[in-house]
Amino acid sequence: MHPWIALSAGFVLSLATQANAADAAPQHYSNAAWTQPQKPFRIYGNTYYVGTRGLSAILVTSPAGNILIDGTLPENVPQIEANIRALGFRLEDIKLILNSHPHFDHAGGIGALAHDSGAQVAASAKAAKALKLGGRDPDDPQYGEAATFQKIANVRVVAADETVKLGPLALTMHPTPGHTPGGTAWTWRSCEGTRCLSMAYVDSISLFTADHGDYRYTDPAHPERIADFRGTIATLAKLPCDIMIAPHPDSIDFIEKVAQRDAGKPDALIDAQACKAYAMQAQANLDKRIAKENGTQPAH
C-alpha cells in the first residue's frame, strides 16, 4: 500500500467509488497534512502558495489574469478558493488551470475550480487524456488503485516545451513522464523589483505501481517506460531553477524553508542547484526500482 492511499476502518470504502464532487464527505488520508489548512503566502514576486499544508496549489498573477497550477483534493477546493481571496485576488480572474500530474491528490479539485472560476484547463497530451478519464487511465502505473476524480471534458493540450502565455505571463511546459505518463514540470519567471528569478514547479519523481497490478517499468514490451524516465532525469537537471516547488511540499521541505525565510533568512528558498539535486534523487529512485523489479533488492 502506498502512502497516498485513503484509509478507513477495515478499508471498506472502495477507492474507485470515492466521491468526485468538491463538497463530498471528507475522506481520511494517511497524510493528514493533505487537508490541513495552510495560510496562503507569497513565494516570490507574483507567485503565491494557495494549497494546503501537504499539497501544493500555486497561483501566478498578472493584471491580465491569473494562472493556477494544481487543484489538490476535491474537498480542499473551498480552502484553495478562500486562500486566493485572502490574498486579495478574485477567483474569476483565474483564466487558466495547469496540472503537474493527473492523480486525485493534485487534479481532484481541478474540475470544481474550473467550474467556479470559469478558467480553461490545460495539460500535456497524456495528462489531458487522463484528466478527461477522471484518472481512469490504463497507462497509469497506479491504475486500478489510485482514486478516481471528476472527469474534465474540455482540456487544452499543451505541446512539449510549449510556452503558455497570458498577458505578461509565460509558463513553459516540460514533459517529465515516469510517476505518470503525463507528468509535467512548469517553469516561469517572477520578479521583485529588478531581481527576477526562475521558478520551477517540478512533478513527483516516485515510481509507485499498483500493488495488485502487473505494471513493470522494466517490462521488455514497454522499453519507453525506462527511456522516458531517463529523459525526465535529463530534463530536471537542466531546468531553469532558482526556486523549486513540488506538488508534495514535504518532499523538499518547502514549508520549512518558507519558515526559515520568514524568520530572517531571506534567500532560504533560493537554490540554483535544487533541480539538479532532484534529478539525482530521480536517478536513485530509478536505480532502486529497477533493482526491485529484477529481484536484486528487497521490496522494502
Side-chain angles (χ1 to χ4, degrees), residues 86-152:
L87 290 169
F89 300 108
R90 300 192 321 147
L91 192 65
E92 296 78 9
D93 288 335
I94 299 173
K95 304 303 181 184
L96 195 62
I97 300 177
L98 309 177
N99 178 231
S100 58
H101 70 267
H103 277 162
F104 75 106
D105 46 341
H106 309 292
I110 287 179
L113 287 161
H115 173 271
D116 294 350
S117 66
Q120 180 183 50
V121 178
S124 69
K126 290 182 180 179
K129 170 193 170 187
L131 291 172
K132 291 177 181 179
L133 293 171
R136 302 165 179 83
D137 182 5
D139 293 327
D140 191 321
Q142 297 167 32
Y143 175 66
E145 187 172 277
T148 57
F149 52 86
Q150 179 182 349
K151 295 179 181 179
I152 303 171

Side-chain angles (χ1 to χ4, degrees), residues 25-26 56 168 184:
S56 298
T184 302

Side-chain angles (χ1 to χ4, degrees), residues 147-191:
T148 57
F149 52 86
Q150 179 182 349
K151 295 179 181 179
I152 303 171
N154 299 310
V155 183
R156 169 185 166 187
V157 173
V158 182
D161 303 316
E162 178 182 347
T163 297
V164 176
K165 295 183 178 180
L166 175 65
L169 301 181
L171 281 70
T172 301
M173 190 276 276
H174 309 268
T176 54
H179 184 72
T180 68
T184 302
W186 297 93
T187 59
W188 64 99
R189 297 278 283 174
S190 284
C191 303

Side-chain angles (χ1 to χ4, degrees), residues 22 34-40 48-53 55-59 67-91 94 97 104-114 116-117 201:
W34 284 12
T35 55
Q36 181 181 344
Q38 168 65 51
K39 184 178 179 179
Y48 299 84
Y49 189 96
V50 295
T52 62
R53 181 79 179 184
L55 292 173
S56 298
I58 306 301
L59 188 71
I67 295 176
L68 180 69
I69 311 177
D70 278 352
T72 81
L73 297 163
E75 55 264 52
N76 287 341
V77 168
Q79 287 190 53
I80 293 172
E81 294 183 349
N83 283 346
I84 290 168
R85 294 188 178 106
L87 290 169
F89 300 108
R90 300 192 321 147
L91 192 65
I94 299 173
I97 300 177
F104 75 106
D105 46 341
H106 309 292
I110 287 179
L113 287 161
D116 294 350
S117 66
Y201 189 70

Side-chain angles (χ1 to χ4, degrees), residues 149-233:
F149 52 86
Q150 179 182 349
K151 295 179 181 179
I152 303 171
N154 299 310
V155 183
R156 169 185 166 187
V157 173
V158 182
D161 303 316
E162 178 182 347
T163 297
V164 176
K165 295 183 178 180
L166 175 65
L169 301 181
L171 281 70
T172 301
M173 190 276 276
H174 309 268
T176 54
H179 184 72
T180 68
T184 302
W186 297 93
T187 59
W188 64 99
R189 297 278 283 174
S190 284
C191 303
E192 291 188 359
T194 59
R195 188 189 193 192
C196 296
L197 297 178
S198 295
M199 316 294 292
Y201 189 70
V202 185
D203 194 26
S204 299
I205 53 171
S206 57
L207 297 175
F208 291 131
T209 60
D211 285 341
H212 303 294
D214 57 3
Y215 189 103
R216 289 172 55 85
Y217 284 93
T218 56
D219 186 342
H222 293 279
E224 74 280 0
R225 294 174 180 173
I226 294 291
D228 285 352
F229 197 66
R230 293 195 192 282
T232 289
I233 294 167

